[in-house]
Amino acid sequence: MGRANRTRRGSRTPRAARLGPRDVLHVGSAGLRSRPVRVVLSALGIAIGIATMIAVVGISASSQAQLLRQLDALGTNMLVAKPGEGMFSGEKVRLPKDAVGMVGRIAGVEDVGATGDLPHSVRRSQKIPEDETGGIAVKAATEGMLDVLRGATATGTWLNAANGRYPSVVLGHVTAARLGITGAGQQVWIDNRYFTVVGILGPLPLAPEIERAALVGWEAAQQLLGFDGHPTAVYERSTDASVASVQKLLAPTIDPRSPHNVAVGDPSSALRAKAATEGAFSSLLLGLGAIALLVGGVGVANTMIISVLERRHEIGLRRSLGATRGQIRIQFVTESLMLSGLGGLAGVALGAAATAAYAYVAALPWVVPSWAVGGGFGATLVIGTVAGLYPAVRASRLSPTLALQA
């Protein structure tokens, strides 16, 4: 009985030692520690791919955030009414002279202003040829225009009841740059007379036509420049809750008989569309980043295959000492994951740094979406797993005897 028990106990198959998480990390990092140069070069492909993807997404998100900030500051509650074309004549119709007053009586409207186009050019001096206009328009403007546009003067003052009656002019910032005007007090030539510049406007993203115009007071335009008093654009700012209702009432209020002759536009729609489509053209760069990431994965797989060939003795020795095929597979898959993970971390850091540099230069908010960071790093782990599977399986199938003889 005792001999049978001893025989039964002696015939038991020895069990392989289990590898804990710490042991797996130790054996998995052994190959990386022994070949640091190869590890850096292999991880570089992964890093370039992830950095490209993070940078593209980050730059796009930063630009979109800037546009949304502009929309929040400028508001989306401004509408512009302009003359349309007559239904039968096809000619431009004229808005009534009291259009500003009528629009101001619409419920929900807070500020109203208007401009009127003038058939004159503005030049730096009378010595400049008349045909050299620089693409600058001359417009009459009401006193309430600046409030409607939520604009500000970069220097000087805006048109008011005092200076709006005299030959004074406010320049858009693009106009001032083209004319070489740097501050208030200088003069420009309009319709055979000098007008004194009383102010220069700051940027107006919702009204680029004002940025490229020279604005004269409404009364001065009628007395000095032959303006007939009919506005060519009426700007209004309403409460956020009443934008839709005001938009419906604007044309019938300005021209009750022929509301179809009035065209109503939303200047902020262009910024909203740009914000919504920001990053649409980055798909190509994302594709290039994905290709770079794929190439990096191929590089990792190639590195792991070479590592298996170079470490045949190590594999044979570990198998001879009792390591199972599963443990060999775990070792090489872990090594591949660590190699890809290092590349992924470096890529995320490089991509975030590139986004920060671009945002700093372009004066944009620095935005790197968390989903891009998590998705990019997760992609590296998937690629690392896939890239390490074949080398791991190949290593686990090596015969210990043949591996030690090689």
Side-chain angles (χ1 to χ4, degrees):
M1 179 70 66
R3 182 180 300 174
N5 289 335
R6 287 195 299 272
T7 303
R8 192 176 295 111
R9 287 195 297 268
S11 62
R12 288 178 180 176
T13 302
R15 294 182 179 179
R18 292 183 178 180
L19 293 178
R22 185 176 180 180
D23 299 323
V24 170
L25 293 176
H26 179 74
V27 298
S29 62
L32 304 183
R33 295 194 302 269
S34 61
R35 299 168 180 83
V37 177
R38 184 183 297 173
V39 168
V40 171
L41 294 178
S42 299
L44 186 60
I46 294 287
I48 291 175
I50 292 298
T52 302
M53 299 177 73
I54 294 294
V56 168
V57 174
I59 290 173
S60 175
S62 298
S63 300
Q64 188 179 44
Q66 177 68 8
L67 288 173
L68 293 177
R69 283 188 180 183
Q70 286 185 352
L71 281 173
D72 289 338
L74 299 173
T76 57
N77 56 350
M78 187 177 81
L79 299 174
V80 181
K82 296 182 179 181
E85 293 184 355
M87 181 178 296
F88 302 104
S89 64
E91 297 179 355
K92 287 283 186 179
V93 298
R94 296 197 301 174
L95 300 181
K97 292 182 178 181
D98 57 346
V100 173
M102 292 188 295
V103 172
R105 291 191 289 270
I106 300 177
V109 172
E110 296 179 327
D111 298 301
V112 186
T115 61
D117 293 341
L118 299 173
H120 305 294
S121 62
V122 56
R123 290 169 286 161
R124 185 66 179 85
S125 72
Q126 58 182 330
K127 298 181 180 180
I128 305 298
E130 293 185 5
D131 56 348
E132 295 184 11
T133 63
I136 301 171
V138 180
K139 297 176 180 287
T142 62
E143 297 176 20
M145 272 297 298
L146 197 62
D147 293 332
V148 178
L149 297 176
R150 289 186 181 176
T153 54
T155 181
T157 186
W158 174 246
L159 300 168
N160 51 48
N163 59 31
R165 296 179 296 171
Y166 299 101
S168 56
V169 62
V170 173
L171 305 179
H173 79 284
V174 175
T175 297
R178 291 179 179 176
L179 293 175
I181 302 296
T182 56
Q186 297 176 269
Q187 292 185 319
V188 294
W189 185 258
I190 303 176
D191 193 32
N192 298 321
R193 117 181 7 242
Y194 277 106
F195 279 66
T196 301
V197 177
V198 296
I200 298 176
L201 296 175
L204 298 170
L206 293 184
E209 70 279 4
I210 303 299
E211 295 178 329
R212 294 161 177 79
L215 305 172
V216 180
W218 202 264
E219 186 175 346
Q222 291 177 316
Q223 294 178 356
L224 304 176
L225 301 176
F227 178 48
D228 60 6
H230 288 275
T232 51
V234 177
Y235 299 76
E236 69 82 27
R237 181 82 66 168
S238 58
T239 61
D240 293 332
S242 59
V243 173
S245 60
V246 171
Q247 188 169 13
K248 294 179 181 179
L249 295 173
L250 201 55
T253 300
I254 294 175
D255 192 347
R257 294 183 177 180
S258 304
H260 56 271
N261 289 336
V262 180
V264 179
D266 180 4
S268 63
S269 61
L271 279 179
R272 289 200 301 270
K274 188 176 180 181
T277 59
E278 186 66 40
F281 296 103
S282 63
S283 57
L284 177 60
L285 293 177
L286 284 175
L288 294 176
I291 293 175
L293 188 60
L294 181 61
V295 172
V298 173
V300 171
N302 184 55
T303 299
M304 295 305 301
I305 292 174
I306 295 175
S307 179
V308 170
L309 296 176
E310 291 180 345
R311 297 161 63 187
R312 292 170 66 91
H313 285 279
E314 175 193 335
I315 297 169
L317 181 60
R318 289 200 61 212
R319 289 298 310 279
S320 299
L321 294 177
T324 64
R325 291 184 174 183
Q327 291 174 348
I328 297 296
R329 287 194 293 268
I330 290 175
Q331 173 187 348
F332 282 91
V333 169
T334 302
E335 184 174 332
S336 177
L337 276 172
M338 295 178 70
L339 179 58
S340 299
L342 289 174
L345 290 175
V348 169
L350 289 174
T355 302
Y358 179 87
Y360 176 78
V361 172
L364 299 176
W366 179 44
V367 178
V368 178
S370 57
W371 63 264
V373 175
F377 188 72
T380 63
L381 298 182
V382 172
I383 288 179
T385 302
V386 174
L389 282 177
Y390 174 71
V393 172
R394 182 171 179 175
S396 67
R397 290 180 179 178
L398 286 177
S399 170
T401 304
L402 295 177
L404 291 173
Q405 289 178 353

